[in-house]
Amino acid sequence: MLTPVAFAGGSLLHFDTYDSVQPLFVMLLIAGPMWLLLTILASRAPEIRWGYSWLVSWYWLCAGISLLLDGPTQVTPGSLIDAEKFYTQLYLQFTPTSLDDLRKVLEGPLAILVWNYFYEWTVNMGGTHLPHIGVSINIFNMAATGVISAFMAIILYGYDRRRLFILFALFTGCGLFILFATLHVRDSFICLIIAALAALWCAFLVRKDLFSMLLIIAATPLFTFALHYLRYDLNSVPIAFAGVGLAALVAAKDVRRGGERLWINTLLVLGLTAVGFAAATVGADLAQRFERGTGAYVAMAGSGAQADSLGMALVVNQPFLLRLIIGPIYVLFMPIPLWGSSLESGATYALAKAIGAVFFYFLVSRLAVTAFVLVSYPQARRASVLFLFGVFLIFLMAIGATSIESRHIGPFVPLAIVASLAFCDSAALDSKRANYLKMIFLVMIIAHFMWMILKFP
C-alpha cells in the first residue's frame, strides 16, 4: 500500500514543479525494465521485487520533497556544490574525444557520460533537458544497490524474510542514500559498483569455487576502470577488497580445513603475491593521494569553519594517529547538533545529513553486536562477514583520518548493512542490540546538551 502512495506523491510533486508528466514517464521507463527482470528472476523471492519497487517509490518521493525544499538543480557555472556543478557540466555539453580528456576538465566523467546518454535519449524522444532525468538515474542506481545487497544477504544467510525486511528498512532510513538518490551527484554510481564487486567477493567467500573466483578476476579490471573515471581516489578499492578478502579467509581458517581443494591454497598464495605487488606498485601513489586529500580537507575545514568549532578542535587539528581514532566517530555521528549542518549546499543536503546521523545510531548498534560475536566466538567467524565488516572499517578509518566527510563513507554502507544482519536469530543478541542503541542515544543526548551549554552559557 505504501509503495503506490509514495510513488504517486513523488509524481505529484514533480508535476507541480515541472508542470509536465515527462518526469513520471522518464522514471517509469528507467525503472521499469529492472522491475520486469526481477519479476522473472526473483519469482521465488517476491520481497526483492517489492523492495526494489519500494525503494524507487521512496527515493522518488524524497526527490519530490527535495524540489519543494531547494527547487530543481540550477545551471551555475563555477559552483562548488556538486549537484549544480555536475548539472552545469552536462548542460554545457562537453564533447572531448576520450574519457581521459574529459577527466582533465571534469570530475567523474563516466557518470557524466551515462547521464548525458539519458538526457539525449529523452530529448530525442521529444522531451526536454530537465534535471529530473539525472536524478531518475540516481534513484535507479540506489534501488539497484538495494537489490544487490538483498541478493548478497541471501548468499550469506539464506532466504530470510525478516532479514530482507530489515535490510530494506535500513536502506529507507539511510540519509546518505537519500542524498545520493535525490541530488545530481555521482555517488550513486560508486555505490552500485562497490556493492556489485562486494557481492562477487561474498559469493566466492561462501562457495569458494573456481567459477566465483573467475567472475572476480573478470570483473575487477572493469570495476577498477569505472571507479577510476568516477572518483580517482577510489580506483584502488578492488585491491583493498582482494587484500581484505584473502585476510578474511585466513582469519576464518577457511583455507586450512582438510576438505578444501589445493587450488584454494594456491589461489591464496598467488592472490597475496598479487596484492603485495600491487601495493608496491601503487603504494607511493596512494600515499601521495592520502597526503593531498588530507591537506585539501584540512585547508577546506580551516576556511569553512571557525577555529574553535567542534570539528576543527576534536578532529582536524589532532595528530594523525589520534585523528585515526576520533575521525571515524566524527564521520558516523556528526552533525552535533542534528540541525547544525550548513545550508550552503541546500536544505536537502542538511536534512539528509541529519537523518544520516540518526541512521548511524541504529546501524552502529547492530554492527557492535556483529563485532561482539566475531570477537567472542571464533567458531562463528565467517570469511564473508569478516570481509564486509573489515572493508567498511578500513575505509571508515581512512575517511576519518582524511576528509572526515560522512558522504564519502556512503558507498560502503551497503556492506555494513549486510554485515549487520549476520546474527539476527537470537533473542539475547536482540536484547544486547537494544542496549547498545540506548547507550548511543544517551551519549548523543548528553552531547547535544553539552553543545547547548557551550553555545548558550
mmCIF file of all heavy atoms in Angstrom, residues 201 213 239 242-243 246-247 263-279:
data_model
loop_
_atom_site.group_PDB
_atom_site.id
_atom_site.type_symbol
_atom_site.label_atom_id
_atom_site.label_comp_id
_atom_site.label_asym_id
_atom_site.label_seq_id
_atom_site.Cartn_x
_atom_site.Cartn_y
_atom_site.Cartn_z
ATOM 1 N N TRP A 201 32.590 -10.956 -4.312
ATOM 2 C CA TRP A 201 33.505 -11.466 -3.299
ATOM 3 C C TRP A 201 32.776 -12.321 -2.265
ATOM 4 O O TRP A 201 33.281 -13.367 -1.833
ATOM 5 C CB TRP A 201 34.239 -10.305 -2.613
ATOM 6 C CG TRP A 201 35.543 -9.995 -3.269
ATOM 7 C CD1 TRP A 201 35.810 -8.991 -4.152
ATOM 8 C CD2 TRP A 201 36.765 -10.723 -3.124
ATOM 9 N NE1 TRP A 201 37.125 -9.056 -4.551
ATOM 10 C CE2 TRP A 201 37.732 -10.100 -3.938
ATOM 11 C CE3 TRP A 201 37.128 -11.844 -2.376
ATOM 12 C CZ2 TRP A 201 39.048 -10.561 -4.027
ATOM 13 C CZ3 TRP A 201 38.443 -12.306 -2.466
ATOM 14 C CH2 TRP A 201 39.378 -11.674 -3.282
ATOM 15 N N MET A 213 35.558 -17.292 -8.402
ATOM 16 C CA MET A 213 36.842 -16.617 -8.496
ATOM 17 C C MET A 213 37.063 -16.045 -9.890
ATOM 18 O O MET A 213 37.555 -14.927 -10.055
ATOM 19 C CB MET A 213 37.973 -17.564 -8.128
ATOM 20 C CG MET A 213 39.366 -16.968 -8.302
ATOM 21 S SD MET A 213 39.605 -15.406 -7.395
ATOM 22 C CE MET A 213 39.806 -16.016 -5.731
ATOM 23 N N ILE A 239 41.799 -3.482 -5.109
ATOM 24 C CA ILE A 239 42.993 -4.026 -4.457
ATOM 25 C C ILE A 239 42.720 -4.237 -2.968
ATOM 26 O O ILE A 239 43.066 -5.267 -2.384
ATOM 27 C CB ILE A 239 44.196 -3.091 -4.650
ATOM 28 C CG1 ILE A 239 44.564 -2.997 -6.127
ATOM 29 C CG2 ILE A 239 45.397 -3.571 -3.836
ATOM 30 C CD1 ILE A 239 45.666 -1.994 -6.414
ATOM 31 N N ALA A 242 40.606 -7.280 -2.435
ATOM 32 C CA ALA A 242 41.365 -8.520 -2.547
ATOM 33 C C ALA A 242 42.141 -8.792 -1.269
ATOM 34 O O ALA A 242 42.148 -9.915 -0.745
ATOM 35 C CB ALA A 242 42.308 -8.441 -3.742
ATOM 36 N N GLY A 243 42.797 -7.767 -0.746
ATOM 37 C CA GLY A 243 43.564 -7.953 0.481
ATOM 38 C C GLY A 243 42.690 -8.339 1.652
ATOM 39 O O GLY A 243 43.010 -9.273 2.410
ATOM 40 N N LEU A 246 41.183 -11.996 1.179
ATOM 41 C CA LEU A 246 42.135 -13.059 1.471
ATOM 42 C C LEU A 246 42.457 -13.116 2.956
ATOM 43 O O LEU A 246 42.605 -14.202 3.530
ATOM 44 C CB LEU A 246 43.407 -12.846 0.645
ATOM 45 C CG LEU A 246 43.200 -12.931 -0.873
ATOM 46 C CD1 LEU A 246 44.447 -12.492 -1.614
ATOM 47 C CD2 LEU A 246 42.814 -14.343 -1.281
ATOM 48 N N ALA A 247 42.558 -11.963 3.609
ATOM 49 C CA ALA A 247 42.779 -11.940 5.053
ATOM 50 C C ALA A 247 41.594 -12.563 5.791
ATOM 51 O O ALA A 247 41.767 -13.255 6.804
ATOM 52 C CB ALA A 247 42.995 -10.505 5.524
ATOM 53 N N TRP A 263 43.668 -25.992 -4.904
ATOM 54 C CA TRP A 263 43.714 -24.764 -5.704
ATOM 55 C C TRP A 263 43.341 -23.544 -4.881
ATOM 56 O O TRP A 263 43.765 -22.434 -5.193
ATOM 57 C CB TRP A 263 42.839 -24.878 -6.938
ATOM 58 C CG TRP A 263 41.354 -24.894 -6.692
ATOM 59 C CD1 TRP A 263 40.562 -25.987 -6.566
ATOM 60 C CD2 TRP A 263 40.497 -23.760 -6.562
ATOM 61 N NE1 TRP A 263 39.261 -25.613 -6.338
ATOM 62 C CE2 TRP A 263 39.188 -24.257 -6.346
ATOM 63 C CE3 TRP A 263 40.691 -22.381 -6.596
ATOM 64 C CZ2 TRP A 263 38.097 -23.421 -6.163
ATOM 65 C CZ3 TRP A 263 39.597 -21.558 -6.422
ATOM 66 C CH2 TRP A 263 38.326 -22.066 -6.210
ATOM 67 N N ILE A 264 42.551 -23.724 -3.819
ATOM 68 C CA ILE A 264 42.200 -22.584 -2.971
ATOM 69 C C ILE A 264 43.449 -22.050 -2.289
ATOM 70 O O ILE A 264 43.689 -20.847 -2.225
ATOM 71 C CB ILE A 264 41.136 -22.973 -1.935
ATOM 72 C CG1 ILE A 264 39.823 -23.322 -2.642
ATOM 73 C CG2 ILE A 264 40.911 -21.848 -0.929
ATOM 74 C CD1 ILE A 264 38.715 -23.725 -1.702
ATOM 75 N N ASN A 265 44.276 -22.970 -1.744
ATOM 76 C CA ASN A 265 45.518 -22.543 -1.116
ATOM 77 C C ASN A 265 46.470 -21.926 -2.133
ATOM 78 O O ASN A 265 47.173 -20.950 -1.839
ATOM 79 C CB ASN A 265 46.178 -23.739 -0.427
ATOM 80 C CG ASN A 265 45.325 -24.295 0.696
ATOM 81 O OD1 ASN A 265 45.315 -23.774 1.799
ATOM 82 N ND2 ASN A 265 44.582 -25.357 0.405
ATOM 83 N N THR A 266 46.471 -22.473 -3.331
ATOM 84 C CA THR A 266 47.306 -21.914 -4.386
ATOM 85 C C THR A 266 46.847 -20.505 -4.748
ATOM 86 O O THR A 266 47.650 -19.581 -4.903
ATOM 87 C CB THR A 266 47.251 -22.806 -5.642
ATOM 88 O OG1 THR A 266 47.641 -24.135 -5.291
ATOM 89 C CG2 THR A 266 48.172 -22.268 -6.722
ATOM 90 N N LEU A 267 45.523 -20.325 -4.873
ATOM 91 C CA LEU A 267 44.978 -19.003 -5.156
ATOM 92 C C LEU A 267 45.318 -18.014 -4.048
ATOM 93 O O LEU A 267 45.581 -16.838 -4.300
ATOM 94 C CB LEU A 267 43.457 -19.077 -5.318
ATOM 95 C CG LEU A 267 42.933 -19.516 -6.690
ATOM 96 C CD1 LEU A 267 41.424 -19.660 -6.645
ATOM 97 C CD2 LEU A 267 43.329 -18.516 -7.764
ATOM 98 N N LEU A 268 45.322 -18.490 -2.824
ATOM 99 C CA LEU A 268 45.648 -17.615 -1.698
ATOM 100 C C LEU A 268 47.068 -17.085 -1.837
ATOM 101 O O LEU A 268 47.318 -15.881 -1.695
ATOM 102 C CB LEU A 268 45.490 -18.371 -0.375
ATOM 103 C CG LEU A 268 45.879 -17.602 0.883
ATOM 104 C CD1 LEU A 268 44.955 -16.419 1.088
ATOM 105 C CD2 LEU A 268 45.857 -18.514 2.099
ATOM 106 N N VAL A 269 48.002 -17.974 -2.129
ATOM 107 C CA VAL A 269 49.399 -17.562 -2.283
ATOM 108 C C VAL A 269 49.544 -16.604 -3.454
ATOM 109 O O VAL A 269 50.181 -15.545 -3.346
ATOM 110 C CB VAL A 269 50.304 -18.799 -2.470
ATOM 111 C CG1 VAL A 269 51.737 -18.360 -2.771
ATOM 112 C CG2 VAL A 269 50.277 -19.673 -1.232
ATOM 113 N N LEU A 270 48.927 -16.962 -4.595
ATOM 114 C CA LEU A 270 49.006 -16.100 -5.770
ATOM 115 C C LEU A 270 48.334 -14.756 -5.513
ATOM 116 O O LEU A 270 48.838 -13.704 -5.929
ATOM 117 C CB LEU A 270 48.355 -16.785 -6.971
ATOM 118 C CG LEU A 270 49.070 -18.037 -7.502
ATOM 119 C CD1 LEU A 270 48.261 -18.673 -8.620
ATOM 120 C CD2 LEU A 270 50.465 -17.684 -7.990
ATOM 121 N N GLY A 271 47.205 -14.796 -4.810
ATOM 122 C CA GLY A 271 46.479 -13.566 -4.516
ATOM 123 C C GLY A 271 47.265 -12.645 -3.610
ATOM 124 O O GLY A 271 47.343 -11.434 -3.847
ATOM 125 N N LEU A 272 47.861 -13.198 -2.564
ATOM 126 C CA LEU A 272 48.660 -12.385 -1.657
ATOM 127 C C LEU A 272 49.872 -11.803 -2.371
ATOM 128 O O LEU A 272 50.263 -10.667 -2.130
ATOM 129 C CB LEU A 272 49.094 -13.212 -0.446
ATOM 130 C CG LEU A 272 47.993 -13.572 0.556
ATOM 131 C CD1 LEU A 272 48.527 -14.528 1.614
ATOM 132 C CD2 LEU A 272 47.433 -12.318 1.212
ATOM 133 N N THR A 273 50.454 -12.592 -3.276
ATOM 134 C CA THR A 273 51.579 -12.095 -4.062
ATOM 135 C C THR A 273 51.140 -10.933 -4.950
ATOM 136 O O THR A 273 51.831 -9.911 -5.052
ATOM 137 C CB THR A 273 52.158 -13.222 -4.936
ATOM 138 O OG1 THR A 273 52.562 -14.310 -4.091
ATOM 139 C CG2 THR A 273 53.344 -12.727 -5.731
ATOM 140 N N ALA A 274 49.967 -11.087 -5.588
ATOM 141 C CA ALA A 274 49.450 -10.031 -6.462
ATOM 142 C C ALA A 274 49.142 -8.765 -5.670
ATOM 143 O O ALA A 274 49.444 -7.655 -6.113
ATOM 144 C CB ALA A 274 48.190 -10.517 -7.183
ATOM 145 N N VAL A 275 48.550 -8.930 -4.484
ATOM 146 C CA VAL A 275 48.247 -7.768 -3.640
ATOM 147 C C VAL A 275 49.529 -7.067 -3.220
ATOM 148 O O VAL A 275 49.629 -5.835 -3.234
ATOM 149 C CB VAL A 275 47.427 -8.188 -2.406
ATOM 150 C CG1 VAL A 275 47.329 -7.036 -1.405
ATOM 151 C CG2 VAL A 275 46.035 -8.634 -2.824
ATOM 152 N N GLY A 276 50.538 -7.865 -2.853
ATOM 153 C CA GLY A 276 51.814 -7.274 -2.469
ATOM 154 C C GLY A 276 52.462 -6.532 -3.615
ATOM 155 O O GLY A 276 52.996 -5.426 -3.443
ATOM 156 N N PHE A 277 52.401 -7.127 -4.814
ATOM 157 C CA PHE A 277 52.961 -6.466 -5.994
ATOM 158 C C PHE A 277 52.212 -5.170 -6.295
ATOM 159 O O PHE A 277 52.818 -4.131 -6.582
ATOM 160 C CB PHE A 277 52.882 -7.408 -7.201
ATOM 161 C CG PHE A 277 53.353 -6.779 -8.490
ATOM 162 C CD1 PHE A 277 54.713 -6.640 -8.751
ATOM 163 C CD2 PHE A 277 52.440 -6.324 -9.427
ATOM 164 C CE1 PHE A 277 55.146 -6.052 -9.934
ATOM 165 C CE2 PHE A 277 52.860 -5.738 -10.609
ATOM 166 C CZ PHE A 277 54.218 -5.608 -10.864
ATOM 167 N N ALA A 278 50.875 -5.218 -6.215
ATOM 168 C CA ALA A 278 50.072 -4.024 -6.480
ATOM 169 C C ALA A 278 50.360 -2.936 -5.463
ATOM 170 O O ALA A 278 50.469 -1.759 -5.798
ATOM 171 C CB ALA A 278 48.585 -4.385 -6.479
ATOM 172 N N ALA A 279 50.496 -3.333 -4.186
ATOM 173 C CA ALA A 279 50.775 -2.345 -3.142
ATOM 174 C C ALA A 279 52.132 -1.686 -3.379
ATOM 175 O O ALA A 279 52.298 -0.476 -3.193
ATOM 176 C CB ALA A 279 50.734 -3.012 -1.771
#
